[in-house]
Amino acid sequence: MASVSVYNKDGKEIEKMDLNDSVFAAPVNEHLVHMAVVLQLANKRQGTQKAKTRSEVRGGGRKPWRQKGTGHARQGSIRAPQWTGGGVVFAPTPRDYSFKMNKKEKAAAMKSVLSAKVSEEKLIVVDSLDFEKPKTKEMKTILDNLKINKALVVVDGDSANAILSVKNLPTARGVYSNSISVYDVLKYDTVVITKSAVKTIEEVYA
């Protein structure tokens, strides 16, 4: 069973914690991880890009000049693609870029990235991140004590002040354990997670 050190807010190790191997020591499936990242980015796309084809541009119904005898190349419409103000060839139209993954595939992708962070020693467990009120300076001090710069801070639902304390840090992001994503785990160098959030993730993915 994999185990990690648990640190306090001062960056000092206070105990060891065993992790569930089915979640934090799972085989890494790079294909599913890639699919999960593409899924999240694709689902964010608006897909509202639109340009008009030659049939949609206003005007151009009359042939600009007769077919022969003018010395010009033959033309059928002033809204053909080669004309200024003409339609666009293969113009983009609104579309939906989103697609779906099976629940088991999503879970396997999440286990893969979490396991990779553990094996790289980039998953730091802290005993708690409770704040009486949002305090960016205090959160920055905690991350400095842990010698972490670019971090994904994962907490449980009752730690709203911790999320707000991370909000103004440009190199960190705070998320709840029930909304963690594969993309966020990969984007940030280190995952800082509370003990309670570890338990919640194990309950969901084990």
Side-chain angles (χ1 to χ4, degrees):
M1 181 175 284
S3 64
V4 292
S5 299
V6 179
Y7 298 89
N8 59 17
K9 292 181 179 180
D10 297 324
K12 296 179 180 178
E13 182 179 340
I14 56 175
E15 60 177 310
K16 289 283 188 180
M17 181 181 183
D18 292 329
L19 300 176
N20 191 319
D21 283 349
S22 65
V23 179
F24 293 98
V28 177
N29 189 321
E30 293 182 3
H31 171 65
L32 291 180
V33 171
H34 176 261
M35 275 186 64
V37 172
V38 173
L39 171 78
Q40 184 169 345
L41 296 179
N43 289 355
K44 282 183 176 181
R45 297 183 68 174
Q46 287 184 318
T48 54
Q49 186 182 19
K50 177 72 174 78
K52 292 182 178 180
T53 63
R54 62 184 295 170
S55 65
E56 296 169 320
V57 179
R58 181 179 176 86
R62 182 174 63 85
K63 189 174 174 67
W65 51 74
R66 67 179 190 270
Q67 182 81 345
K68 293 177 176 294
T70 64
H72 296 295
R74 54 195 174 187
Q75 300 290 334
S77 169
I78 61 170
R79 293 295 178 253
Q82 71 271 20
W83 285 71
T84 300
V88 179
V89 182
F90 307 128
T93 55
R95 55 169 288 193
D96 181 11
Y97 289 92
S98 64
F99 64 95
K100 294 182 179 180
M101 284 179 67
N102 295 331
K103 287 183 179 179
K104 289 184 178 180
E105 290 178 327
K106 289 182 180 179
M110 179 57 70
K111 292 177 185 179
S112 293
V113 292
L114 291 175
S115 299
K117 289 295 182 184
V118 171
S119 65
E120 296 167 3
E121 298 182 353
K122 294 290 187 179
L123 187 135
I124 307 297
V125 181
V126 293
D127 57 344
S128 69
L129 287 174
D130 295 329
F131 294 85
E132 292 183 4
K133 59 181 180 179
K135 204 73 175 174
T136 304
K137 188 176 181 180
E138 189 175 341
M139 179 61 77
K140 179 69 167 63
T141 301
I142 293 172
L143 295 178
D144 288 342
N145 291 338
L146 294 169
K147 298 178 181 178
I148 296 169
N149 181 26
K150 194 174 182 183
L152 178 70
V153 180
V154 185
V155 298
D156 254 349
D158 56 352
S159 302
N161 286 338
I163 297 290
L164 294 173
S165 298
V166 180
K167 202 169 185 180
N168 286 332
L169 294 175
T171 59
R173 171 175 164 79
V175 295
Y176 294 112
S177 54
N178 61 357
S179 61
I180 188 173
S181 71
V182 173
Y183 177 75
D184 284 337
V185 174
L186 288 176
K187 181 178 179 181
Y188 293 90
D189 295 336
T190 307
V191 176
V192 178
I193 186 170
T194 60
K195 286 177 64 177
S196 58
V198 170
K199 296 296 184 184
T200 302
I201 289 174
E202 288 180 342
E203 289 174 4
V204 174
Y205 292 101

